[in-house]
Amino acid sequence: MSQAAQMHDLILAGGTVVDGTGQARRRADVAVSGGRIAAVGDLADAKARRTMDVAGLVVSPGFIDSHAHDDLAVLEMPDMLPKVSQGVTTVVNGNCGISLAPLRADGPQMPPLNLLGQGYRFGSFAEYRHAVDNGPAAVNVAALVGHCTLRVLRMADVARPASGSEIEAMRQDVEQALLDGALGVSTGTFYPPAAAATEAEVIAVCEPLTRLGGIYATHMRDEGDRVMDAIDESLRIGAALNVPIVISHHKVVGKQNHGRSVQTLARLQDAARRQAVCLDCYPYDASSTILRPERVDICDRIMVTWSEPHPEASGRYLEDLAREWNCSRREVAEALLPAGAVYFIMDDGDVRRILKYPDTMIGSDGLCGEGRPHPRLWGTFPRVLGRYGRELGLFNLEEAVFRMTGLTAMRMGLRDRGRVAPGCHADLTVFDADTIIDNATFDTPTEMSSGMRHVFVGGVATWEDGAPTGARPGRFISDRIGVAAA
Ligand SMILES: [Zn+2]
């Protein structure tokens, strides 16, 4: 059938296509049929049920949030406004060792598992997948299975290394999760439930990755004084398993370590000649996670994001509370638990260096459940495009888009996504490259970004003319492709 005779569902006409591969932009129309991109080029003679004029705007692949903690959010707030409003069409959940499955409903709610919120627990990865598909949400969902979660499920005491039988149980859980569609395994040996896990335990538990394929993503044991040791451990684990590694939200924390991204990136670049290793990163010099009193001394400024016993502390600085309560910052932190916090702990020079590294994907690490979230939840992608790309010139538009689309799909093994090309899923984002910018700040953390015009998931608009449509066309993505380990 000729191009002219075919009736497409949609044509985005007259836009500038930035196709997600890093290649130079070009003026082209994009046709969508049956949820896939049908044609890219001069489609003046083609017909469609609907044609949208996108002249002057960029048409790019929908953004893939490579580092999400939206495991529960996609079920409880399926409109997913914080992400849709930024142009995100797919989230990768289950990062940092934390996944909602497999867990027992009556199991302990220990930190950091509570970062995902309370309530839903799924006995198997398949149950989680069904819940996502039955939702569904406005975004597609891919997910990792978390090692912290498996330890909480399988061990009566997580403060020690796992026994042989516990390792075997977790290994079988990983195998089943991969068969049920997990993208890989995440670890969070930084966090108390997994801090006692040895390197050998992680390798043994992750063994099914080698046979079945999948990625190894890690919130490393240390991002401060011992960051190089932590990188070396991650590289050894990836090499032992012969699987690709993702170093999660790469950063170097603590004033004495500012500038050390020169060393960490050199080590990673060298390793990348022998094994597959990449990074994800969010574009801010403050981190956010659970509040840990034993860590308050490594950082001068800490903002409380939520506190169960003291909800009124949300948005307040620990040092101000210490003055008012007439006690130490550490005592305040103890009194606020369980709680979450933003740590102003990084150097912007390191953030820029890591963002610019050739194999860095963009990931928000945003937490939807927080009363007062880190602004990365609402601002990550427009901030990379507007601030770090357009204003600071860290990279051009094509490269910025590549880091949030094509690179991520390639490293995560997401089949037929992350590119504007015939045959790919019609996950598309249309934005104004001259004005796109984040507006969320630490003081106004849920302010929506500017410049996002339309967003499509599988060809269905989730965001149109700068407003949500309410459509929820997202799917659980399980059609992963093998990613070479070296
Ligand atoms: Zn993490």
Side-chain angles (χ1 to χ4, degrees):
M1 188 162 49
S2 80
Q3 197 62 253
Q6 188 180 346
M7 178 62 85
H8 297 294
D9 295 333
L10 171 71
I11 290 179
L12 300 174
T16 300
V17 171
V18 174
D19 71 1
T21 66
Q23 295 199 36
R25 67 195 81 181
R26 64 195 166 108
R27 156 82 184 70
D29 309 316
V30 177
V32 172
S33 283
R36 300 262 181 169
I37 295 169
V40 182
D42 181 354
L43 305 176
D45 297 332
K47 292 188 168 43
R49 288 179 189 86
R50 182 172 187 203
T51 298
M52 295 172 81
D53 178 8
V54 295
L57 300 171
V58 166
V59 179
S60 84
F63 304 149
I64 302 169
D65 190 344
S66 62
H67 191 109
H69 291 290
D70 297 330
D71 304 57
L72 182 61
V74 293
L75 304 175
E76 285 203 329
M77 41 176 290
D79 291 343
M80 292 299 294
L81 266 192
K83 299 294 170 74
V84 171
S85 61
Q86 295 182 63
V88 170
T89 55
T90 295
V91 298
V92 179
N93 283 339
N95 273 285
C96 301
I98 313 165
S99 58
L100 278 188
L103 273 174
R104 288 192 315 271
D106 59 347
Q109 305 258 347
M110 74 174 63
L113 301 189
N114 55 355
L115 283 178
L116 299 180
Q118 311 286 332
Y120 291 84
R121 295 291 183 265
F122 297 94
S124 71
F125 206 83
E127 282 176 43
Y128 176 67
R129 175 179 170 176
H130 289 141
V132 169
D133 271 334
N134 288 337
V139 293
N140 297 312
V141 177
L144 302 157
V145 61
H147 174 241
C148 288
T149 290
L150 297 181
R151 286 190 120 239
V152 169
L153 174 69
R154 295 299 179 191
M155 298 175 68
D157 173 14
V158 293
R160 55 165 176 76
S163 69
S165 61
E166 289 163 342
I167 286 175
E168 177 53 22
M170 291 191 277
R171 194 194 63 75
Q172 288 181 21
D173 290 333
V174 166
E175 178 159 336
Q176 192 58 51
L178 292 174
L179 293 172
D180 289 341
L183 273 190
V185 180
S186 74
T187 57
T189 41
F190 165 81
Y191 288 112
T198 62
E199 184 177 329
E201 172 186 324
V202 172
I203 292 169
V205 167
C206 292
E207 178 275 336
L209 288 176
T210 308
R211 277 181 297 118
L212 301 175
I215 57 169
Y216 173 71
T218 179
H219 179 159
M220 300 191 298
R221 218 177 270 284
D222 196 297
E223 296 173 317
D225 295 348
R226 305 194 58 194
V227 64
M228 294 304 283
D229 293 342
I231 286 177
D232 288 345
E233 182 188 43
S234 304
L235 293 171
R236 285 194 303 270
I237 290 170
L241 293 165
N242 193 32
V243 299
I245 310 165
V246 179
I247 306 288
S248 294
H249 46 57
H250 185 44
K251 56 182 167 299
V252 282
V253 304
K255 264 179 290 189
Q256 68 279 19
N257 296 309
H258 287 175
R260 287 187 73 193
S261 61
V262 174
Q263 278 172 269
T264 63
L265 295 176
R267 180 71 56 91
L268 291 166
Q269 193 147 33
D270 177 59
R273 290 185 293 175
R274 294 179 295 278
Q275 64 189 113
V277 55
C278 67
L279 318 175
D280 68 68
C281 181
Y282 51 83
Y284 296 87
D285 60 4
S287 68
S288 177
T289 185
I290 47 174
L291 181 58
R292 292 176 64 182
E294 73 278 16
R295 294 180 58 82
V296 301
D297 294 331
I298 63 168
C299 177
D300 293 339
R301 269 201 320 144
I302 296 175
M303 191 181 80
V304 180
T305 49
W306 57 273
S307 161
E308 273 181 26
H310 291 281
E312 77 282 3
S314 170
R316 304 289 314 277
Y317 286 89
L318 212 54
E319 29 293 352
D320 295 338
L321 292 170
R323 216 171 299 121
E324 287 170 29
W325 297 9
N326 200 20
C327 56
S328 73
R329 296 199 319 157
R330 182 159 179 160
E331 286 165 334
V332 174
E334 300 277 4
L336 293 175
L337 296 182
V342 165
Y343 298 80
F344 293 86
I345 206 170
M346 287 107 91
D347 168 56
D348 192 53
D350 285 317
V351 174
R352 292 187 205 191
R353 198 174 291 119
I354 292 167
L355 280 174
K356 200 176 163 57
Y357 180 75
D359 224 328
T360 295
M361 309 177 282
I362 306 305
S364 73
D365 203 11
L367 298 166
C368 284
E370 290 182 323
R372 192 185 172 91
H374 186 301
R376 63 193 180 185
L377 176 65
W378 289 83
T380 288
F381 294 86
R383 184 172 172 84
V384 168
L385 293 167
R387 175 158 174 75
Y388 286 95
R390 186 180 64 238
E391 291 175 5
L392 296 174
L394 208 61
F395 25 57
N396 64 25
L397 178 64
E398 287 83 350
E399 193 179 333
V401 168
F402 173 61
R403 288 158 183 278
M404 40 186 85
T405 59
L407 177 66
T408 312
M410 192 159 64
R411 293 293 178 248
M412 295 284 180
L414 304 177
R415 188 191 297 275
D416 296 338
R417 294 187 199 271
R419 285 173 297 132
V420 180
C424 284
H425 292 277
D427 297 345
L428 296 163
T429 288
V430 180
F431 62 93
D432 184 341
D434 295 330
T435 62
I436 192 162
I437 196 72
D438 60 308
N439 296 313
T441 66
F442 290 97
D443 293 321
T444 60
T446 60
E447 199 73 24
M448 220 176 263
S449 301
S450 309
M452 188 53 59
R453 192 69 63 88
H454 313 300
V455 181
F456 302 89
V457 172
V460 176
T462 54
W463 183 262
E464 201 172 308
D465 290 323
T469 64
R472 287 156 44 182
R475 297 170 41 192
F476 188 93
I477 298 177
S478 58
D479 52 346
R480 90 188 130 79
I481 46 175
V483 178

